[in-house]
Amino acid sequence: MTKDMTEGKPLKLILQFALPLLIGNLLQQTYNMIDAAIVGRFLGAEALASVGASSSVQFLVLGFCIGTCNGFGVPIARDFGAGEYGKMRSCMFHAILLAAAAAVILTTACAVLCPQILHLLSTPEDIYQNARIYLLIIFLGIPCTLLYNLFSCILRAVGDSRTPFFFLAVSACLNIGLDLFCIVVLKLGCAGAALATIVSQAISGVCCLVFIWRRVPLLHLTREECRVNGTRLTELIAMGIPMGLQYSITAIGSMVMQSANNSLGSIYVSGFTAGMKIKQFLLSPFDAMATAVSVFCGQNLGAGKAKRIRQGLWEGVIMSLAYGICAGFVLIFGGRTLSLLFVSRDATEVLDASAKYLFCMGFFFWSLGPLGICRMCTQGLGFPGRAVFSGVAEMIARSVVSFVFVRRFGYTAICFADQTAWIAACFYIIPVCLISVQTVARRLETVQ
């Protein structure tokens, strides 16, 4: 069930690894789109706005969980590539301990602070109550998010991207069924949408855990490997926390942007929410390719193969750029049509807002290719602290647009906030990634 990526053609290995990730991401985003469509069609535009009003803070918290788990996977991939399986399993044990501690702390803090968070986001009064219920349930499900992401990251670190995809596919299908049951049959409203998400994610996490226990003996922990080691804890914290902060810092800028957009009224909140769902769907290939390149670089770092690291980086950048250009054309010429998935033709103002957001985004969508690949490559090579500052660049850019330009240009400024952040981050992370690759190459040459 494992896959060694230190031998063979890099492009072929990256594509083979990325394909299940891509399909899994597309299924997840398909669910998110269907979820939004169900909410919008059965509960109305205000309910859609309630679900979307806190999307940035969900990304802040859940993104921290996902990023931290990805960080834990980096030393596991490195040790797997080096053939140091005992050390790899020790890292796995300490990752489980840290994830459990994070689940307790984050769930408690976020559940208590839920009302204050929504007020901070300037959530409109007409959608506040539904937004609060939805966000609270999502926060209470943080342990489920950590459960799935931790064990799926462990499986991906040892080269298995197919199994997490399979369980994610099952989860997505289950999620759609639960959505319809909770919203249409049980009449639970926005709370039903949140419950469906949490239950399905919990099931996928348990499935990953059971699969590891039954089918991947290489990842079975021994009693000796389950002893707490300060060095291992420090290494995992040093790798996981910066990667979690990478997601969260980026999300802070998104929160500032969403707060500015929320202040414009529920019409723009609904339009922005619909546009975001489409954007997130089209982001899936970027995420899959970047994750594949990260694991590829991590394993080859452990194997001491600098040339393969460079080759994997450049081939990943070229692939992602090509996709970004094609997806940009889709957004420019088909954004309004895609928005009809979530917004009825009669809601003209909401439809116009969503179409405008996607149209403006299409001209800069290509920039996400080098941004994602270079950022994940830098993290996979063991420099998460350097990658964090690309998130800082995004946060600053979004904040400047939100604080300075939204007051003057309104929703038009919102439509260009993401692009400004992406370009700013590219100016930082691309040279940093090249420096990191060169640093690793020199280090490996010295060792050899």
Side-chain angles (χ1 to χ4, degrees):
M1 296 299 173
T2 60
K3 180 67 174 179
D4 186 351
M5 301 177 75
T6 62
E7 298 290 341
K9 295 181 179 180
L11 181 59
K12 181 180 178 181
L13 290 168
I14 290 171
L15 287 173
Q16 287 177 339
F17 188 89
L19 184 59
L21 288 176
L22 171 58
I23 299 174
N25 287 342
L26 289 175
L27 281 172
Q28 182 66 38
Q29 294 307 322
T30 299
Y31 155 71
N32 289 337
M33 294 174 72
I34 293 175
D35 177 52
I38 292 172
V39 171
R41 295 288 182 174
F42 286 97
L43 302 178
E46 283 194 1
L48 180 62
S50 300
V51 170
S54 61
S55 60
S56 59
V57 76
Q58 291 178 52
F59 180 50
L60 172 71
V61 178
L62 302 183
F64 178 81
C65 297
I66 295 169
T68 301
C69 291
N70 286 338
F72 293 159
V74 170
I76 294 174
R78 180 202 61 207
D79 294 336
F80 175 78
E84 298 179 353
Y85 301 131
K87 187 177 178 182
M88 175 192 72
R89 287 189 290 269
S90 178
C91 285
M92 176 180 167
F93 167 72
H94 288 84
I96 294 171
L97 288 183
L98 290 171
V104 173
I105 295 170
L106 289 174
T107 303
T108 303
C110 291
V112 170
L113 296 174
C114 184
Q116 289 81 358
I117 291 171
L118 287 171
H119 286 304
L120 186 66
L121 289 173
S122 303
T123 306
E125 287 298 324
D126 57 339
I127 62 174
Y128 172 81
Q129 190 59 30
N130 279 333
R132 184 186 66 81
I133 293 171
Y134 180 85
L135 185 60
L136 179 61
I137 294 173
I138 293 295
F139 281 159
L140 292 176
I142 286 174
C144 302
T145 301
L146 282 165
L147 178 67
Y148 170 73
N149 281 283
L150 176 62
F151 287 107
S152 63
C153 284
I154 290 172
L155 285 169
R156 286 195 291 266
V158 296
D160 182 5
S161 60
R162 296 180 181 180
T163 302
F165 149 69
F166 175 76
F167 292 132
L168 184 61
V170 172
S171 174
C173 295
L174 178 63
N175 214 331
I176 294 170
L178 288 173
D179 256 337
L180 291 169
F181 179 72
C182 292
I183 293 174
V184 180
V185 179
L186 298 182
K187 308 293 184 183
L188 294 178
C190 293
L195 282 171
T197 299
I198 296 308
V199 171
S200 59
Q201 195 161 51
I203 291 173
S204 62
V206 171
C207 287
C208 281
L209 177 59
V210 172
F211 178 84
I212 289 174
W213 179 254
R214 292 186 175 182
R215 300 293 299 276
V216 193
L218 182 67
L219 297 177
H220 289 181
L221 299 172
T222 65
R223 183 171 298 179
E224 291 182 357
E225 292 158 353
C226 291
R227 295 175 180 174
V228 177
N229 183 301
T231 302
R232 295 276 186 275
L233 281 175
T234 302
E235 180 185 23
L236 284 167
I237 291 172
M239 191 64 65
I241 297 300
M243 289 184 70
L245 290 176
Q246 160 64 46
Y247 283 76
S248 296
I249 291 171
T250 302
I252 291 173
S254 298
M255 287 178 63
V256 173
M257 182 179 73
Q258 183 155 40
S259 178
N261 187 62
N262 287 351
S263 67
L264 299 176
S266 57
I267 289 175
Y268 291 112
V269 175
S270 297
F272 180 77
T273 300
M276 283 287 290
K277 294 294 183 182
I278 296 166
K279 182 189 82 171
Q280 288 167 356
F281 184 86
L282 292 177
L283 285 176
S284 296
F286 287 129
D287 294 338
M289 287 184 281
T291 301
V293 170
S294 176
V295 173
F296 177 87
C297 291
Q299 287 196 14
N300 282 281
L301 172 64
K305 298 183 177 181
K307 183 178 179 180
R308 288 177 62 81
I309 292 173
R310 291 193 188 97
Q311 189 175 354
L313 169 63
W314 287 115
E315 291 178 353
V317 168
I318 292 170
M319 282 192 300
S320 60
L321 268 175
Y323 165 74
I325 293 170
C326 295
F329 278 108
V330 172
L331 291 172
I332 292 169
F333 296 106
R336 188 178 186 85
T337 302
L338 291 172
S339 299
L340 289 170
L341 291 170
F342 311 104
V343 183
S344 66
R345 202 176 294 272
D346 297 333
T348 308
E349 292 180 303
V350 176
L351 190 59
D352 288 342
S354 177
K356 181 178 180 178
Y357 175 73
L358 296 174
F359 177 81
C360 297
M361 183 183 299
F363 292 97
F364 296 89
F365 207 65
W366 57 268
S367 62
L368 282 167
L371 172 58
I373 296 293
C374 290
R375 179 151 57 199
M376 290 296 287
C377 178
T378 303
Q379 293 170 345
L381 293 176
F383 301 103
R386 297 179 181 182
V388 165
F389 288 101
S390 66
V392 173
E394 288 193 61
M395 179 189 69
I396 293 173
R398 285 194 178 93
S399 299
V400 169
V401 172
S402 300
F403 284 126
V404 178
F405 294 101
V406 171
R407 294 179 182 178
R408 182 174 180 181
F409 299 102
Y411 187 68
T412 300
I414 294 293
C415 292
F416 284 96
D418 280 331
Q419 299 91 306
T420 305
W422 299 338
I423 297 298
C426 280
F427 275 115
Y428 167 79
I429 196 61
I430 292 174
V432 166
C433 179
L434 296 177
I435 292 170
S436 299
V437 171
Q438 190 62 33
T439 300
V440 166
R442 287 197 298 266
R443 185 187 302 167
L444 294 177
E445 288 172 2
T446 302
V447 172
Q448 293 171 352

